[in-house]
Amino acid sequence: MRILHTSDWHLGRAFHRVNMLDAQTEFIGHLVATVREREVDAVVVSGDVYDRAVPSLAAVELFDAALHRLAELGVPTVMISGNHDSARRLGVGAGLIGRAGIHLRTEPSACGRPVVLTDAFGDVAFYGLPYLEPALVKDEFGVGKAGHETVLAAAMDRVRADLATRAQGTRSVVLAHAFVTGGQASDSERDITVGGVAAVPAGVFDGVDYVALGHLHGCQTITARVRYSGSPLAYSFSEADHRKSMWLVDLDADGAVAAERLDCPVPRPLARIRGTLEDLLADPALAPHEEAWVEATLTDPVRPADPMARLAERFPHALSLAFAPERAPDDPDVSYAERLAGRSDQQIAQDFVAHVRGAWPDEHEQAVLREAFDAVRADDAEREVAR
């Protein structure tokens, strides 16, 4: 069976105020053409179809058009909800839409009920594990402690239990939206840390033939059977070096996996440039970036006048401007933002306690801080679900 694995469309998302709907529309066209030209048997979309719980009308219209185009191909599609999606909204009409061959899996309770497709060698069971917010699903899975690994392990127990009831030789594919150990994050993914832990080991998914992951925006291989497709478009400058693609996966009669990367259309390349303003305006080596979306970091010791307007004369698509004067780390003029760069909320809070009290928080106090951050994040997730 030939499977096209994609995820993290984030329909409706902008890139530094640039509307991306045209680029997202182009990607949907590319997806449909790929399905037709490469004779794909099934499409899997591993979450974050939308960028927000309540998407814009334009994003909903694009999703609707995508569903119609996929249904017209007669190629089954399996989709799950991600942490950016409202599972309830995405799942509206799932039963009816399923009759057209578009199978939406947004309910945690349905993890052990697969979409079963058949090829010349027998059945392939597709199990959809939507994003499982630990605080919201721990009761559904009967786990005492809310954690990503705990709830995913419980969901996979249901998958393996169902698979054990099926005919010998039934192959299996799991769609999941999670941060798996070994994956490389970027700046455009929403933090899903619980209890100071975001990642789960790949071993959680043992026992199935292929795991189609979503959440991380870089295409990457965790193991030969566990892969991220990544987002089809870049949504932050941290993705400047990404090669945006989808996985074309061939699952043979014995469940062996062969995977090929297929490139996605690039609306405009990204470039991150750094130096003094005068150097950036004069350096001939930067000529290839003049038509790119540009993030410029100025290292001038004194902020120059009208820097963005002057940059735009050479780089008309410059979108982001930062200032990082080259100073020693202990220089009192180093900005607050620079001192906090790369630090988690938990680390910042612990630093604040140490600064105010003059002593680092002990293990109990660190646990209290973690619980507070987890409670706020879980409350935010519940509010989004209820909207």
Side-chain angles (χ1 to χ4, degrees):
M1 183 169 288
R2 174 162 285 183
I3 302 162
L4 187 63
H5 168 200
T6 179
S7 73
D8 295 274
W9 294 358
H10 289 278
L11 300 181
R13 185 164 185 163
F15 181 77
H16 288 268
R17 303 178 304 282
V18 175
N19 189 312
M20 296 293 282
L21 276 170
D22 286 346
Q24 291 169 341
T25 301
E26 183 180 3
F27 162 69
I28 296 298
H30 171 71
L31 172 73
V32 170
T34 300
V35 171
R36 184 187 302 111
E37 293 165 7
R38 299 302 297 265
E39 299 181 337
V40 170
D41 298 307
V43 176
V44 297
V45 186
S46 299
D48 282 353
V49 175
Y50 290 121
D51 188 55
R52 58 187 63 188
V54 184
S56 67
L57 178 59
V60 173
E61 289 174 338
L62 179 54
F63 179 59
D64 181 63
L67 293 185
H68 278 83
R69 296 180 70 178
L70 288 169
E72 287 168 2
L73 292 174
V75 175
T77 299
V78 184
M79 295 183 173
I80 61 172
S81 50
N83 60 303
H84 279 249
D85 298 309
S86 165
R88 287 184 182 178
R89 283 187 171 81
L90 188 63
V92 168
L96 186 60
I97 295 170
R99 296 181 186 178
I102 309 293
H103 305 280
L104 300 174
R105 291 294 183 263
T106 64
E107 292 293 331
S109 60
C111 286
R113 299 198 297 271
V115 176
V116 180
L117 305 178
T118 303
D119 64 9
F121 304 107
D123 290 345
V124 180
F126 289 78
Y127 296 89
L129 278 57
Y131 172 66
L132 302 174
E133 174 58 49
L136 303 184
V137 303
K138 63 183 180 67
D139 292 338
E140 164 64 33
F141 292 105
V143 298
K145 184 178 179 182
H148 289 296
E149 182 175 354
T150 307
V151 296
L152 268 173
M156 283 301 301
D157 285 343
R158 293 188 184 183
V159 168
R160 285 184 284 265
D162 179 84
L163 194 56
T165 68
R166 299 194 173 271
Q168 184 73 22
T170 298
R171 290 153 292 161
S172 53
V173 175
V174 166
L175 289 71
H177 197 85
F179 192 159
V180 175
T181 303
Q184 297 296 314
S186 64
D187 292 343
S188 52
E189 298 116 5
R190 184 181 295 170
D191 181 31
I192 59 170
T193 302
V194 173
V197 178
V200 300
V204 165
F205 299 104
D206 285 351
V208 296
D209 294 307
Y210 183 70
V211 182
L213 292 173
H215 179 57
L216 299 184
H217 288 185
C219 181
Q220 46 203 299
T221 300
I222 305 300
T223 73
R225 296 185 182 273
V226 181
R227 299 170 186 264
Y228 283 99
S229 66
S231 60
L233 296 166
Y235 292 114
S236 72
F237 277 104
S238 66
E239 300 168 56
D241 294 330
H242 286 190
R243 173 188 164 195
K244 295 301 182 181
S245 55
M246 303 178 287
W247 285 113
L248 188 67
V249 177
D250 284 318
L251 202 62
D252 75 7
D254 299 318
V257 171
E260 176 187 355
R261 282 184 75 175
L262 304 180
D263 290 335
C264 294
V266 178
R268 191 177 294 279
L270 308 186
R272 307 180 94 174
I273 60 178
R274 183 184 181 95
T276 65
L277 180 58
E278 295 303 326
D279 285 346
L280 297 184
L281 294 176
D283 188 351
L286 299 181
H289 302 319
E290 290 175 358
E291 294 303 316
W293 280 323
V294 168
E295 176 191 70
T297 300
L298 300 186
T299 59
D300 302 75
V302 177
R303 185 174 303 208
D306 298 323
M308 195 60 163
R310 293 174 64 190
L311 270 174
E313 292 176 3
R314 183 179 187 188
F315 305 101
H317 304 287
L319 298 179
S320 178
L321 182 62
F323 296 91
E326 294 179 347
R327 302 187 180 108
D330 57 354
D331 189 312
D333 289 330
V334 170
S335 73
Y336 182 68
E338 289 175 277
R339 293 197 299 272
L340 298 186
R343 302 184 69 74
S344 68
D345 291 341
Q346 175 84 14
Q347 292 170 322
I348 292 169
Q350 290 174 181
D351 286 348
F352 176 77
V353 171
H355 173 73
V356 171
R357 193 176 61 186
W360 191 255
D362 60 27
E363 289 186 7
H364 171 71
E365 291 167 331
Q366 291 179 40
V368 169
L369 288 170
R370 276 195 299 273
E371 290 170 5
F373 282 119
D374 289 348
V376 170
R377 197 178 49 76
D379 183 63
D380 286 345
E382 283 192 275
R383 289 173 184 273
E384 283 206 358
V385 168
R387 288 175 67 185

